[in-house]
Amino acid sequence: MNAAWLRPRWLLNSRVARALLWTLLLVALAVAANIAGLYLVGSIVGWERWLADAAGYFLLWRLCLYGATVYGWVWMRRRLLTRESDASARRRLLRTEIAGLIVIVALEAGLLMQAV
């Protein structure tokens, strides 16, 4: 029996390993921020109250993040279309833009429904 399928090559790729390490670091930072917040506020109820009070600031942060993402996307889109100006590249970009917009709307709608 060939066990080559047990060792996928993409997992051994240095770019994938670097992305996984960054993801692990970000998750660890998020957990540490929550633990520090719980320690500073004193209880889970106090932490939830602080999160609810700071919801406006978090919305402002997300809007700034979306704006920076859109700026980067427009820059990347312009470069890609100068390199590949065929119709299939435009269709791929349009599908990606629609998918990204749907994800952002779904995330924000979930946060809005959670707040109600």
Side-chain angles (χ1 to χ4, degrees), residues 52-68:
D53 292 342
Y57 297 114
F58 289 130
L59 175 63
L60 181 64
W61 164 250
R62 287 192 313 274
L63 290 175
C64 290
L65 194 62
Y66 296 150

Side-chain angles (χ1 to χ4, degrees), residues 56-87:
Y57 297 114
F58 289 130
L59 175 63
L60 181 64
W61 164 250
R62 287 192 313 274
L63 290 175
C64 290
L65 194 62
Y66 296 150
T69 303
V70 167
Y71 177 78
W73 180 264
V74 169
W75 175 80
M76 186 271 318
R77 185 180 205 278
R78 193 175 315 126
R79 285 185 51 154
L80 182 73
L81 288 177
T82 57
R83 192 174 58 210
E84 299 178 30
S85 60
D86 59 339

